[in-house]
Amino acid sequence: LGDVLQKIDGRTVGDLDQLREVLDEKKPGDKAVLTLYRPAGSGGEGEALEVAIYLIEDTDGWLGTTS
């Protein structure tokens, strides 16, 4: 497994609908802080981390957002 997105700007994103809801409130160029869970390998403990990103336009419509 890879990193698991848990929150954007402190708001829980447990499914695609919640992800769309958060992203619909933002525009290209906005900064967002992602809270990720990184599972550990071989029975160790995973870790939570925060990553700041800047959003770009969804030009291919992959998320189906309208903004």
Side-chain angles (χ1 to χ4, degrees):
L1 263 189
D3 294 345
V4 178
L5 177 63
Q6 295 182 317
K7 297 180 182 182
I8 299 177
D9 292 335
R11 293 178 57 189
T12 299
V13 286
D15 59 32
L16 192 55
D17 288 335
Q18 289 175 328
L19 175 62
R20 284 187 185 123
E21 183 179 312
V22 172
L23 292 179
D24 278 345
E25 297 172 4
K26 298 191 172 294
K27 62 185 184 307
D30 284 352
K31 180 180 177 180
V33 176
L34 309 182
T35 303
L36 306 170
Y37 174 75
R38 179 168 290 167
S42 301
E45 288 189 31
E47 64 178 320
L49 49 125
E50 288 190 349
V51 178
I53 63 166
Y54 289 90
L55 301 174
I56 62 171
E57 186 175 357
D58 178 20
T59 57
D60 62 2
W62 186 80
L63 285 176
T65 57
T66 56
S67 50

